[in-house]
Amino acid sequence: RRFIYLTTAGVLYGEPHYLPTDEEHLIEPISPYGLSKWLGERYLALLAPASMTRIVLRLANVNGPRQRADGEGGVVSIFADRMRLGLPVVVYGDGHHTRDFVYVADVVDAVVAALGAPRSATVNIATERAVPVLELFAALSMIAGYSTPPTFMAARPGDIRTSRLAIGKARSELGWSPRTALEAGLVQTYASL
């Protein structure tokens, strides 16, 4: 009777035409990863019975304790792990590109809220805050006591420049808002390493 699909947001929308990016924005993935997430949403719309309540949670960059730094690990876990080990930290691009980071406990709250949603909906789960990667690097460096400057490498194909997601629909449809400030989440994440 109910299906909750957790997917991604930033790479699904591609380079935004406006900020904050809401759920009505064009879907324009610029990477195979973003396209695969869009296909998941389309399969759900195509195959789910009309009577099923379908909640699609489009997640910003999730971070938090026990997130792995290998494979498709997020930038927070990768930076934190390398800082903990005293290794160089690589920033792809100029570091001024932004991401909307959401803490894992807030994502769990969104899933719990989706369990009681009265109707089908697609909502962004984010913070509406665009954080430059260099600002993230500086905040984590302070927490970790890391003093080595980042190593810059060319931007990677398929990476978007700007991510800041609107969450008004999550508030109205799910009664959800993030509770964890980025800095508080980073402290918890680093402490868990």
Side-chain angles (χ1 to χ4, degrees), residues 32-48:
Y33 176 72
L35 180 60
S36 72
K37 295 300 186 173
W38 177 234
L39 287 174
E41 285 193 37
R42 299 312 308 147
Y43 276 123
L44 180 60
L46 181 66
L47 300 175

Side-chain angles (χ1 to χ4, degrees), residues 6-7 21 29 35 47 52 56-57 63 67 79 83 90-91 108 114 120 131 155 181 186:
L6 277 67
T7 186
T21 308
L35 180 60
L47 300 175
M52 178 183 283
V56 176
L57 302 180
N63 66 92
Q67 183 178 25
F79 281 12
M83 288 177 181
V90 174
V91 171
V108 171
S120 294
V131 179
L186 295 178

Side-chain angles (χ1 to χ4, degrees), residues 2-6 55-60 62 102-117 121 123-126 167 169-171 173-179:
R2 178 177 302 270
F3 192 98
I4 301 171
Y5 177 56
L6 277 67
I55 309 296
V56 176
L57 302 180
R58 292 180 177 163
L59 308 180
V62 180
V102 63
Y103 190 64
V104 67
D106 292 333
V107 172
V108 171
D109 289 345
V111 172
V112 171
L115 291 171
V123 299
N124 291 332
I125 301 301
I167 59 172
K169 198 169 176 187
R171 287 185 179 111
E173 294 290 328
L174 304 179
W176 177 89
S177 292
R179 296 181 295 131

Side-chain angles (χ1 to χ4, degrees), residues 156-175:
R156 296 178 294 190
D159 276 354
I160 60 172
R161 179 96 181 135
T162 306
S163 179
R164 180 174 161 234
L165 303 169
I167 59 172
K169 198 169 176 187
R171 287 185 179 111
S172 64
E173 294 290 328
L174 304 179

Side-chain angles (χ1 to χ4, degrees), residues 39-161:
L39 287 174
E41 285 193 37
R42 299 312 308 147
Y43 276 123
L44 180 60
L46 181 66
L47 300 175
S51 61
M52 178 183 283
T53 301
R54 299 173 306 276
I55 309 296
V56 176
L57 302 180
R58 292 180 177 163
L59 308 180
N61 290 65
V62 180
N63 66 92
R66 295 183 298 282
Q67 183 178 25
R68 293 176 52 159
D70 59 350
E72 286 295 318
V75 66
V76 171
S77 61
I78 292 168
F79 281 12
D81 190 56
R82 294 191 68 80
M83 288 177 181
R84 177 183 63 86
L85 297 170
L87 298 172
V89 174
V90 174
V91 171
Y92 293 96
D94 62 9
H96 297 289
H97 50 292
T98 62
R99 297 292 178 263
D100 191 326
F101 295 101
V102 63
Y103 190 64
V104 67
D106 292 333
V107 172
V108 171
D109 289 345
V111 172
V112 171
L115 291 171
R119 62 186 159 271
S120 294
T122 297
V123 299
N124 291 332
I125 301 301
T127 64
E128 284 190 337
R129 181 178 172 202
V131 179
V133 170
L134 283 178
E135 182 180 321
L136 172 72
F137 176 87
L140 269 171
S141 293
M142 292 270 299
I143 294 164
Y146 184 81
S147 58
T148 305
T151 301
F152 291 92
M153 295 187 71
R156 296 178 294 190
D159 276 354
I160 60 172
R161 179 96 181 135

